[in-house]
Amino acid sequence: MKRSGADAKLVDRIAGDCIAVRVRLINRVISAVYDEALRPLGIRISQANLLVAVARMGEARPVDLCKVLRIEKSTLSRDVEVMKGNGWLESDPPVGGRNQVLRVTPAGRDLLARSRPAWEAAQAEASRLIGAPGVDALKEIAGRLGLGTPAG
């Protein structure tokens, strides 16, 4: 089907200028770099991010993690269950639930320590792909968007 002039202009504008398309592409490419580096350890970057967040907080309720990490409850629940199953996180009460409190286990702390070389390699590759100005821009943008602070 042939596009009309107005449709073609809109499609071209979205294809050429859409910020969301570019952010999603960057997310997929960079996440793949970290996932590949962390794969031998059996963890994905989304799980590592969660492990680091819980470790920084000491103890965390799922609702607080969702706010700080800006993730959906269902996404968090899936990762928490996998991580508890792998012995990286524990909760009180152990069966979970809305009011559970999550903590990093000794195995989770060990995993964090063992992941350092892989994370550093991924960090270097991501920095190479994005370039120093891009890394600086991402840090500035993330800070402006409230990285690490609960969603308002």
Side-chain angles (χ1 to χ4, degrees):
M1 177 187 287
K2 188 163 173 18
R3 299 182 298 168
S4 71
D7 287 344
K9 286 181 180 180
L10 174 60
V11 168
D12 289 345
R13 180 165 180 230
I14 292 171
D17 294 338
C18 185
I19 295 166
V21 167
R22 281 147 183 80
V23 169
R24 290 172 60 87
L25 171 67
I26 293 165
N27 178 48
R28 288 189 300 272
V29 169
I30 299 303
S31 290
V33 167
Y34 285 88
D35 284 345
E36 182 64 28
L38 295 169
R39 183 172 286 115
L41 297 163
I43 192 168
R44 294 187 330 265
I45 190 58
S46 59
Q47 296 165 337
N49 186 38
L50 178 57
L51 196 60
V52 168
V54 174
R56 285 191 84 195
M57 295 169 82
E59 291 186 337
R61 293 181 319 129
V63 67
D64 297 326
L65 285 168
C66 287
K67 286 179 184 176
V68 168
L69 298 175
R70 312 274 168 81
I71 58 176
E72 296 294 322
K73 191 170 86 171
S74 60
T75 301
L76 178 73
S77 296
R78 282 190 302 270
D79 278 341
V80 164
E81 290 310 310
V82 168
M83 295 171 73
K84 285 170 60 176
N86 286 328
W88 304 329
L89 288 178
E90 63 186 6
S91 68
D92 185 27
V95 294
R98 291 181 68 170
N99 294 316
Q100 70 180 314
V101 175
L102 298 167
R103 286 180 297 281
V104 177
T105 64
R109 292 190 193 291
D110 179 63
L111 176 62
L112 281 172
R114 289 185 296 114
S115 71
R116 181 179 179 178
W119 178 84
E120 287 177 343
Q123 186 81 350
E125 177 62 7
S127 295
R128 184 191 70 75
L129 289 169
I130 295 171
V135 171
D136 291 342
L138 287 172
K139 288 178 182 178
E140 193 272 325
I141 294 164
R144 194 170 57 240
L145 296 176
L147 177 65
T149 59

